[in-house]
Amino acid sequence: MLNKEICAVCAGKPCTVACPAGLYTLKDGKISFDYAGCLECGTCRVICPQAGAINWQYPRGGFGINYRYG
């Protein structure tokens, strides 16, 4: 879950460039996230400078990522 209020005060928004799937987008100063393409790698949590901005937990068994191609 992405806390947009905390993300709004982040100056650099490093998640927009660090996400390997490119799921964080910045439009008109507001950040959005596409959950459907998440690789669950945790890069966004590691690089985020704002505590509590990204609240992410592993899904329960059998409900993780779903590879659609290949």
Side-chain angles (χ1 to χ4, degrees), residues 6 48-54:
I6 296 175
C48 181
Q50 303 292 327
I54 300 171

Side-chain angles (χ1 to χ4, degrees), residues 54-66:
I54 300 171
N55 183 12
W56 185 84
Q57 299 174 355
Y58 283 104
R60 65 182 189 184
F63 289 92
I65 59 174
N66 184 11

Side-chain angles (χ1 to χ4, degrees), residues 32-60:
S32 64
F33 177 69
D34 177 23
Y35 295 93
C38 184
L39 301 173
E40 298 178 10
C41 65
T43 303
C44 56
R45 290 186 309 149
V46 173
I47 200 156
C48 181
Q50 303 292 327
I54 300 171
N55 183 12
W56 185 84
Q57 299 174 355
Y58 283 104
R60 65 182 189 184

